[in-house]
Amino acid sequence: MTPIHFNTHIGKLEHLMGTHYLEIPAEVVQVLGGKFNVRLLVTVNNALTYQGGIVALGQGRGYITLTKQRLKELGLKEGSPATVTLTKDESQYGTPVPEELTELFRQDDEGKARFDQLKPGMQRYIIQHVAAVKSSQLRIDRSITLIENLKRLKVGQETFREILGLEERKL
């Protein structure tokens, strides 16, 4: 994929807890194949690059979320203009894998095989949940807990709650 460059602005989705985002114009979505299931490297103002994916916004447009920390690093706020470059994310999972989880996979063939059976979004969920804590020991503990829970679940019927070790919600 050839890098795609465009100008946009910072928006805010009040119904999603005030999430900030980069609006992706419909013509850019079309260049990406008109689909929203593509993982990308997102570069903002030639200053910050991160991994992300496009979510449908309506009328053919999409958006990529922008955390408060990234906004602060860039010195941007709601309404600010931004220059964006999108390139295809060629990484295996579309997000960095913590070394503690990688090490667990080296030691637990069954756990790694089970993880490989998950859909990419579920894999990213596990990776990001492990990476979300600063302590290496907590990353080890989370890795073990999630993979042990996963190994007990039926293939194709896993839920985030069950992988976390929580009961399914009753309707």
Side-chain angles (χ1 to χ4, degrees), residues 22-89:
L22 296 162
E23 184 171 319
I24 312 302
E27 55 270 17
V28 172
V29 172
Q30 287 305 307
V31 170
L32 292 167
K35 298 180 181 177
F36 298 100
N37 62 348
V38 59
R39 298 300 297 173
L40 301 163
L41 292 176
V42 182
T43 303
V44 183
N45 292 347
N46 293 316
L48 176 69
T49 300
Y50 64 98
Q51 294 167 303
I54 298 179
V55 179
L57 187 60
Q59 301 171 334
R61 300 168 300 146
Y63 71 90
I64 297 173
T65 58
L66 196 57
T67 64
K68 289 180 183 179
Q69 179 182 346
R70 290 180 180 137
L71 277 174
K72 187 176 179 181
E73 285 179 49
L74 291 162
L76 300 174
K77 60 184 180 187
E78 181 181 359
S80 295
T83 301
V84 177
T85 301
L86 302 176
T87 54
K88 187 169 186 198
D89 183 351

